[in-house]
Amino acid sequence: MSTNHSMYEETVERATNLFLDGWIVSLGLSGKDSGAASICVVEGLKRAYAINPNVGPLYVVTTNTTLDNMVLHEYMMDLHEDLNIFSSDTGLPIITKELKPSLANNPMVEYVGRGKLLRTPQTASGGRDCAQDWKVKPMERFLKSLQQKHQTTKIVSISGARDSESKVRAMNLKKRNESATKVVATGLGWTQAIIKDWSLNDVWQLFKVVDECEIDSYSDRFDAMKRHYSAGNGGTCDLFAGIQNNKECGARFGCVLCAMNPTDRSLEAQLAVSPKTYGFMKPLNDLRTYMINTLFDYNKRSLLGREMRDGFIKVGINQYSMEYRMDLLRYVLTIQQDAFDQHGYHPIDLSLIHI
C-alpha cells in the first residue's frame, strides 16, 4: 500500500457506493484478509452515513464451526465486541452475529453421532465437504433470513478473497466472475470481493498504518492479528514492515478435524512458537492425528447395507463402527475433562461437545 493509502481509499469508495446505492451489506469476518476488508467497509459505511443516515445496515458475521483455530476465532469475537462498541458510540447501523452449523451438521454429531468419516482428500467429495457443511450452509441460511427480515434481495456478501492469495483462489474467483469493483451474482447470491486486487503486502500495510494511527478504525487491537499470524507462520512475518522477503506472512488457519491437508501446519507452528498461548490446543491436534492414523483401519468401520439392487444388498464400509464412535466420544470428553482439571477455567472454551 503506497504512502498515500491509495488502495485503501479506492476500496473505501467501493464500500461507500454500495451503501449509497441502497445495498444491505453482509461481511464475513474470519482472518487477516476479511479483517482488512472490514476496516474499509466500516469506513465506507461511516462516509455513506454522513451523506444519508438511512443507509445500511452492515452485518458482520463469523462462523463458529467449533473446530476452527480457537485462539483466532476468539480474536474475531473480540473484533465483534469492538464493532458493537463502535456502533454504539457512533450510531452507525452495524450488527454482529456468530453463525454455527445446524445440529445435524455439527462436526461431532457427524463424526460421533452418525459415524461419518473424517474429511480427507480420499473421503470428501470434491474436497469441499468441510466448507460446504460447516461454513457455506450457515451463511446461506443467514442470508435467506436477511431477505425475509428486510423483504429484499438487494443484499450483498463482501469477502476478503484476493487473487494473489493462490492460483487456485484466483481461478475460483475468475470462474465465479467475482469483481472488486462491482456486485455480481454467484451461487451464494450477490457478492463483491472488495479487496480482490490487493496484495498480501497491502493487507499487512493497512494494519500497520492503522496501528500507527494514520488511518482511523473501529478497533485498536489489530496488533493481535500480527501476533497470531506470526505464530502460525513459524514466528516471523516479513511483511510487517512492508518488505517482502522469502517468507510471507500467509499462514492458513482451518478446522482442526477437517484433514484435507495431512497436517495443520499453522496450528503446529503456533504450538511450537508459543506453548503458553496456544498449548491448550495441543490435545485437539493430537485428536486430529489419531483420527487420521485410524481412518483406514477397516476394523473400525461398520458393514451396512446401503441399497437393494437386482435382489442383492449393496454393502458399504464407509462409516465408523459403533465401537469406534464410542471410543471417539470417550476421547473427546477426556480432552475436555483434562482441560478443566488442569486449568480449571480457560478463557477459551475447549469443548467440542456440550453436555
Side-chain angles (χ1 to χ4, degrees), residues 110-279:
E110 290 189 341
Y111 289 146
V112 175
R114 290 164 41 204
K116 190 164 185 173
L117 300 181
L118 181 72
R119 266 71 162 213
T120 69
Q122 294 81 17
T123 61
S125 57
R128 291 278 296 165
D129 281 17
C130 301
Q132 185 68 28
D133 290 349
W134 302 342
K135 293 187 176 182
V136 175
K137 287 182 180 178
M139 181 60 74
E140 288 176 340
R141 287 195 300 272
F142 175 69
L143 293 174
K144 189 172 292 186
S145 74
L146 291 187
Q147 291 180 13
Q148 295 173 347
K149 177 179 179 179
H150 294 283
Q151 291 297 294
T152 181
T153 59
K154 198 170 182 179
I155 298 168
V156 59
S157 296
I158 300 296
S159 76
R162 297 180 296 106
D163 279 332
S164 64
E165 186 175 349
S166 69
K167 291 182 179 179
V168 172
R169 178 57 58 87
M171 182 180 65
N172 288 335
L173 287 169
K174 184 177 181 179
K175 187 185 302 181
R176 296 191 296 266
N177 295 316
E178 291 200 48
S179 170
T181 58
K182 62 182 180 180
V183 173
V184 299
T186 69
L188 195 60
W190 298 106
T191 65
Q192 184 168 340
I194 206 163
I195 63 168
K196 178 177 180 287
D197 52 353
W198 283 36
S199 68
L200 183 60
N201 185 56
D202 291 328
V203 171
W204 287 116
Q205 279 298 303
L206 177 58
F207 295 137
K208 180 175 181 289
V209 295
V210 167
D211 286 343
E212 294 175 353
C213 299
E214 294 182 33
I215 288 176
D216 291 334
S217 174
Y218 65 86
S219 176
D220 60 1
R221 299 198 227 194
F222 288 110
D223 57 328
M225 190 83 77
K226 299 175 184 178
R227 291 197 302 272
H228 296 319
Y229 274 85
S230 177
N233 202 51
T236 60
C237 278
D238 293 331
L239 293 180
F240 283 176
I243 301 172
Q244 184 168 351
N245 294 323
N246 61 357
K247 194 171 185 181
E248 294 185 341
C249 191
R252 298 288 297 272
F253 297 100
C255 297
V256 175
L257 295 186
C258 183
M260 297 308 296
N261 294 310
T263 59
D264 189 335
R265 288 181 292 181
S266 295
L267 175 56
E268 291 184 359
Q270 287 178 321
L271 297 175
V273 168
S274 181
K276 181 178 180 181
T277 302
Y278 306 103

Side-chain angles (χ1 to χ4, degrees), residues 19 23-26 41-42 44-50 52-60 83-84 86-96 150:
F19 289 110
W23 287 92
I24 293 169
V25 177
S26 172
V41 172
V42 170
L45 173 63
K46 180 180 175 183
R47 296 183 188 184
Y49 186 81
N52 177 7
N54 294 317
V55 297
L58 165 64
Y59 290 90
V60 178
L83 282 162
N84 291 333
F86 184 77
S87 173
S88 178
D89 290 345
T90 61
L92 293 177
I94 301 173
I95 302 167
T96 65
H150 294 283

